[in-house]
Amino acid sequence: MATIRKTPSGTWKALIRKKGWPASAKTFRTKRDAEDWARRAEDEMVRGVYIDRSRSERMSLADALDRYLREVLPTKKPSTQRSEAPRAERLREFFGAYSLAAITPDLVARYRDERLATPGQRVHRLAGKVTPLSPSTVRLELALLSHLFNTAIREWRLGLVHNPVVGIRKPPPGEGRSRRLLPGEEARLQAAVSAHSNPMLGWIFNVALETGMRSGEILGLRLHQVDLARRVVRLSVTKNDSARTVPLTQRATQVLCEALANPTRPKECDLVFFGEPGKDGKRGPYAFTKVWNDTKLALGMADLRFHDLRHEAVSRLVEAGFSDQEVSAISGHKSMQMLKRYTHLRAEDLVGRLDRVQRKLPGGGGSDHLLQLGPQVHAGEVEADRAGAHPDMGPEVGNVEQQAVRRRVSTVARSDLRGKRHAGLQPGRARRGGA
C-alpha cells in the first residue's frame, strides 16, 4: 500500500511497501503527481513488470562513464584502452550533465549530426586543410556509448528500459581501402628504408610486405616467437584474440635472421624490434611511425599507409593461387567477408589472364569467336578442358576455360534446337496461339 506524505520542504513523497518487492519511494512537487505515480507503480507490481527507474534518473552519464572506465575498460586490450579514453571524454562533454534516463534517441541523433559536422583535429596531408571527422570515428564513439548502456541495463541493473543508441541511424562505414603498391614504389621504398640509420625500419617494412602481419603484431614480436628452423612465427596476441602461426618466406626468414642477430640488443630485452628506454627505464617496441611518415612524404606517397602493406601482401597470396582458407590461415581473418576487403586483384592482371585464356581456345579468336564457334566443339574438347589440357596454366585458368566451353556448347545447342523447331513447321499449318 502506498503512503503519501508532505515533506518539510513542501514537496510530496510517495512510499510503496509491497510484499515481494523492495520498498520504492519518489518525491514530487504536487500530491496528485505522487498519487498518480504510486497508482501506476502498484499496478505494475501486480502485473510483475515494475522497474525501479530511480537509480537511472539519479545517475548522470558523467558518473556512469567514471564507473565504466573504472570497472569495464581495464578488462579490454591495452590498445583499446588507449583509444577509448579520448572517446569517453567526447561523450562526457556532450552528455555529461544528462541523467541516463534523460538520454533519448533524438538526443543521440543530434550528437551524431554535430560530430559529423565537426572539423577534424589534424590537417589532411593531401587536401591541405582541416576536414570533417570521418564517419568511422563517430561510429566508434556511438559504439562506446551503446556498450555503456548495455552494461548499465544487464549488469548494473539501473532500471533502464532500452538502449537509446540502438534505434538511431549509424553513420555509413568508410569504404575499404584498395591501395596497392604502384610499379616502382616498392623499389623506392626499399631503397629509402634501407638507407635509414636504424636498420629496424627496413626489417619491419620487409616483414610486413612478406608476411602480411599487422604493425602491432610485428612490433610485439618476442625472441621465443620466431622459429627460424621451422620458418614460422607464432603469434599469441592478435587483433581478434586468435593465436596463429605465420609461415615465413625465404626473404622474411633472412630479414628476421638479421634482426635476431642485432648486436645492439641489450641482454635483458627480448623484443625483436626494440626502442629506447622510457622514463621508467623499460624498453618498449621501436616507435617507427614518425620516421615512416616522413619517409613516404619525402617520396611523394602521402596516401600510402603502413597497413596498406598488409593489403599488398594478402593480395599477392591470392594472385599466387592460394585458396581462401590458406590465405585466412596466414593473415588471421576470421570471415571470408573481411578477407574480401583486404584482397584487391589488379584489373590489369585479370586482363592478361583473359588474354591467355582466349589464346588457348581453338582458333585463338577474339570475343566474337567465343560465341560463334560451330559444332566442332564436341565432347572430347570439353573433357580435355575438364581434365586440364594446358599444363602450363594454373587451375584457375582451367576453370575459366571450362566455363567458356560450356557457354559455347550451350549457345550452339540452343541455336540448333531453334532451327529444328522452325524446320518442323509445315506450310499452311498454324502455330499454337496464331490465327
Side-chain angles (χ1 to χ4, degrees):
M1 187 64 184
T3 301
I4 311 296
R5 64 182 182 86
K6 192 173 185 179
T7 65
S9 61
T11 59
W12 294 86
K13 183 176 182 179
L15 176 63
I16 302 177
R17 291 188 176 93
K18 189 174 182 62
K19 185 177 181 180
W21 293 89
S24 299
K26 195 170 183 179
T27 304
F28 300 88
R29 290 184 303 168
T30 65
K31 183 178 181 180
R32 182 173 180 178
D33 290 340
E35 292 174 344
D36 290 342
W37 174 83
R39 190 180 305 108
R40 289 194 305 268
E42 288 181 329
D43 180 64
E44 291 177 355
M45 288 180 179
V46 171
R47 292 186 289 116
V49 296
Y50 174 73
I51 298 176
D52 185 7
R53 302 174 180 85
S54 59
R55 295 181 61 193
S56 64
E57 295 171 349
R58 291 195 303 266
M59 176 176 284
S60 66
L61 186 91
D63 295 336
L65 274 173
D66 291 337
R67 182 175 177 180
Y68 184 90
L69 296 177
R70 184 174 62 253
E71 298 179 4
V72 181
L73 191 61
T75 63
K76 301 184 179 182
K77 295 180 180 179
S79 58
T80 305
Q81 297 180 29
R82 291 191 295 269
S83 61
E84 286 198 345
R87 295 172 194 152
E89 294 306 314
R90 304 287 84 77
L91 296 173
R92 189 191 303 273
E93 292 174 1
F94 187 91
F95 297 103
Y98 289 90
S99 69
L100 293 180
I103 298 178
T104 56
D106 59 322
L107 184 63
V108 178
R110 181 156 64 88
Y111 171 80
R112 174 203 61 202
D113 297 338
E114 291 184 7
R115 287 294 288 164
L116 289 174
T118 302
Q121 300 296 323
R122 294 178 296 181
V123 178
H124 196 278
R125 290 190 176 93
L126 296 180
K129 59 182 180 180
V130 177
T131 57
L133 291 177
S134 68
S136 297
T137 301
V138 183
R139 284 177 65 92
L140 292 174
E141 293 174 356
L142 294 178
L144 174 59
L145 182 63
S146 179
H147 189 246
L148 184 147
F149 271 96
N150 287 335
T151 304
I153 293 172
R154 299 170 184 172
E155 299 183 12
W156 298 347
R157 313 296 293 179
L158 297 181
L160 291 168
V161 179
H162 66 281
N163 183 345
V165 186
V166 173
I168 70 165
R169 175 174 44 86
K170 308 300 189 300
E175 296 183 0
R177 289 179 59 82
S178 58
R179 179 67 159 89
R180 297 281 304 274
L181 291 178
L182 302 177
E185 286 187 340
E186 180 179 352
R188 294 167 58 199
L189 283 169
Q190 190 72 255
V193 297
S194 300
H196 192 262
S197 58
N198 193 332
M200 283 190 283
L201 179 63
W203 295 337
I204 292 174
F205 170 80
N206 283 285
V207 170
L209 194 58
E210 293 291 328
T211 65
M213 294 167 56
R214 303 177 179 90
S215 60
E217 296 170 347
I218 297 174
L219 296 178
L221 278 179
R222 306 282 176 172
L223 299 179
H224 66 274
Q225 295 178 266
V226 182
D227 191 341
L228 295 179
R230 294 181 173 84
R231 288 177 54 184
V232 295
V233 169
R234 298 180 177 87
L235 300 177
S236 55
V237 180
T238 62
K239 178 181 178 180
N240 51 26
D241 296 326
S242 297
R244 74 178 191 273
T245 301
V246 181
L248 300 176
T249 63
Q250 294 182 356
R251 174 61 178 162
T253 304
Q254 177 185 355
V255 169
L256 286 175
C257 184
E258 296 175 0
L260 295 182
N262 189 354
T264 61
R265 175 181 292 101
K267 294 182 179 180
E268 69 280 0
C269 182
D270 64 342
L271 285 170
V272 177
F273 305 106
F274 54 91
E276 296 296 329
K279 295 182 179 180
D280 56 357
K282 298 180 180 179
R283 290 182 180 269
Y286 173 50
F288 75 101
T289 303
K290 184 178 184 304
V291 63
W292 164 258
N293 290 334
D294 293 342
T295 300
K296 68 176 187 177
L297 288 176
L299 296 176
M301 305 178 192
D303 61 330
L304 181 68
R305 301 177 184 175
F306 187 83
H307 196 73
D308 293 334
L309 301 180
R310 174 172 166 83
H311 289 238
E312 181 71 25
V314 175
S315 297
R316 289 181 180 182
L317 293 176
V318 175
E319 293 170 348
F322 284 81
S323 67
D324 291 343
Q325 289 77 12
E326 292 171 334
V327 175
S328 63
I330 297 174
S331 63
H333 292 100
K334 284 189 173 182
S335 65
M336 293 299 105
Q337 185 64 26
M338 289 300 299
L339 181 62
K340 184 179 178 181
R341 291 183 58 189
Y342 284 81
T343 55
H344 303 283
L345 302 179
R346 290 189 177 93
E348 54 268 28
D349 294 339
L350 299 179
V351 171
R353 177 170 291 185
L354 290 174
D355 291 342
R356 292 196 298 271
V357 171
Q358 293 184 5
R359 286 196 298 268
K360 290 296 181 178
L361 293 174
S367 58
D368 294 337
H369 176 76
L370 291 177
L371 299 178
Q372 295 178 0
L373 285 177
Q376 67 270 22
V377 181
H378 49 76
E381 294 178 355
V382 177
E383 293 297 331
D385 285 336
R386 185 180 293 112
H390 308 294
D392 57 324
M393 303 175 68
E396 301 87 352
V397 179
N399 293 334
V400 175
E401 287 184 324
Q402 294 174 26
Q403 298 172 8
V405 171
R406 292 192 186 99
R407 286 195 296 270
R408 297 200 307 275
V409 174
S410 178
T411 303
V412 173
R414 287 195 299 268
S415 299
D416 291 344
L417 182 59
R418 285 195 298 268
K420 291 178 181 179
R421 287 176 177 173
H422 287 290
L425 293 175
Q426 300 298 329
R429 189 173 182 178
R431 290 186 175 91
R432 180 178 299 177

